Amino acid sequence: MSSASPTLRDWLALAALPGLGPARLAPLLQRWREPEALAWPQGWLAALPATLAQPLRLWLDHPARSPLEGAVAAALAWQAESPRHHLLHPAHSDWPTLLDQLPDPPLVLWAKGDLSALAPPAIAVVGTRKPTREGRDNAADFARELIARGFGVVSGMALGIDGIAQHTALQAGGATVGVLGCGVDVIYPPRHAGLYRDLLAGRGLLLSEHPADTVAHPRFFPRRNRLITGLARGVLVVEAAEKSGSLVSARLGLEQGREVFALPGSIHNPQASGCLRLIQRGEAALVRDIDDLLAELGHWSPIPADDALETAPSVTAPTPLERAGPAAGPNAGVLAQLSDTPTPIDVLVAACGESVATLQLALLELELEGRVAQTAGGWVRRRA
């Protein structure tokens, strides 16, 4: 990298340039990262079109006369308000370098909270805003297990799956990053005021491309999603309908070269249809539990599975699935627990001694075989 590099003030001025979009920014950043390729400011001024070079030169020569100075001064004043206010840029020591891989990288990120939340490798956990009870349980279970294995959780602070995963990560004492489609001083959605406070009180960090007091706007959220997946090693879709913003995140993850995972669910559950479609198309790996996910991400796992589970309760007695034996079929233990009376999934969890995700997969297979069905009160066994 060139010894002549932009300072924080310079990065803020660049970010305030009207018309410096991703198409123009990405090649400039790429050249700047190459040794001695794009010095500051001469190289940048020469590489920018005249419509951008002229206002930047005015700011460099006479900042007080430039309209860019107002944005620069406001950002610096915000950072000075608190030691937990941070302005991150590509030369910052805490800049998340995974973002450098994006075809449309950000230039400056407003950050509020604990920067150490960026340290562990992260998994993006996304899903519907209206999860089923099983979806809520799965989001919490996976978030808890990810933290236990040394990962962080990144999501969008949205209602439903996002918020559940991040709240659980904080409860487990882990790191979580919330990427916002508004400024980091704006609580959105308002119903997550408690999560917002908990995140800042724990090992959490809020990130945004927008100045701190920017109100939420629909057009901000698609670009917010690319940062959620860009910060992560993989993307886990817990529950998602056919037309869901979570599927947009899955697509972005694929385009960014991230691993994408999806949990299976009932074919009659609209909130599982998007996940099933991802699996059917081969766009996401089917995962039943944390070990399935880590099998794909083993080289990123900070803590070996055996070490992470040292404190987990040991299971000495076989579960009903194990007692059924291979001759009875892998799902016989689940089938044995069902009757004509609907059985809720949480009752099956207690009876079978299996995780919700494992049971969901077994129930899906049995459902496809026509042996069980989901009703309003739970699962029932279908008679021949």
Side-chain angles (χ1 to χ4, degrees), residues 8-42:
L8 172 58
R9 280 180 53 84
D10 299 329
W11 289 111
L12 291 169
L14 285 167
L17 277 174
L20 183 59
R24 286 171 171 164
L25 174 61
L28 289 173
L29 284 174
Q30 182 61 38
R31 289 181 57 190
W32 169 74
R33 293 187 186 99
E34 297 170 357
E36 305 300 327
L38 195 63
W40 177 264
Q42 294 81 7

Side-chain angles (χ1 to χ4, degrees), residues 61-265:
D61 295 340
H62 307 285
R65 292 166 48 189
S66 167
L68 301 179
E69 182 62 18
V72 173
L76 293 174
W78 175 82
Q79 180 176 248
E81 289 176 3
S82 169
R84 293 171 66 80
H85 288 184
H86 316 277
L87 294 168
L88 304 182
H89 52 80
H92 194 286
S93 59
D94 290 301
W95 179 257
T97 55
L98 278 177
L99 296 181
D100 296 341
Q101 302 174 5
L102 302 189
D104 49 355
L107 194 59
V108 171
L109 290 173
W110 275 255
K112 185 175 182 178
D114 187 350
L115 286 178
S116 74
L118 293 169
I123 301 296
V125 182
V126 298
T128 178
R129 288 169 170 77
K130 297 180 179 180
T132 64
R133 180 170 180 176
E134 293 176 15
R136 296 174 65 88
D137 290 344
N138 281 332
D141 289 346
F142 270 84
R144 192 177 300 109
E145 288 287 347
L146 285 169
I147 296 303
R149 303 298 181 95
F151 285 88
V153 171
V154 59
S155 200
M157 295 283 288
L159 297 174
I161 296 299
D162 294 37
I164 293 165
Q166 296 194 270
H167 177 72
T168 304
L170 291 170
Q171 283 188 322
T176 185
V177 177
V179 188
L180 306 180
C182 56
V184 293
D185 284 347
V186 177
I187 299 176
Y188 187 87
R191 286 168 54 188
H192 268 173
L195 176 59
Y196 185 96
R197 290 191 297 269
D198 291 345
L199 187 145
L200 293 178
R203 193 183 171 195
L205 183 71
L206 296 167
L207 284 182
S208 176
E209 284 184 283
H210 308 286
D213 58 353
T214 304
V215 298
H217 192 283
R219 71 174 180 272
F220 296 156
F221 289 92
R223 292 189 57 73
R224 181 276 309 262
N225 290 349
R226 90 192 194 284
L227 297 182
I228 293 174
T229 55
L231 288 164
R233 306 289 185 181
V235 182
L236 174 64
V237 186
V238 176
E239 269 190 340
E242 286 277 8
K243 295 182 179 179
S244 167
S246 302
L247 299 191
V248 175
S249 296
R251 176 180 56 78
L252 288 169
L254 288 170
E255 292 174 355
Q256 295 165 357
R258 307 303 191 248
E259 300 285 349
V260 178
F261 311 97
L263 293 180

Side-chain angles (χ1 to χ4, degrees), residues 145 147-150 294 301 303-312:
E145 288 287 347
I147 296 303
R149 303 298 181 95
L294 294 183
S301 181
I303 302 176
D306 292 341
D307 294 342
L309 296 178
E310 281 181 351
T311 59

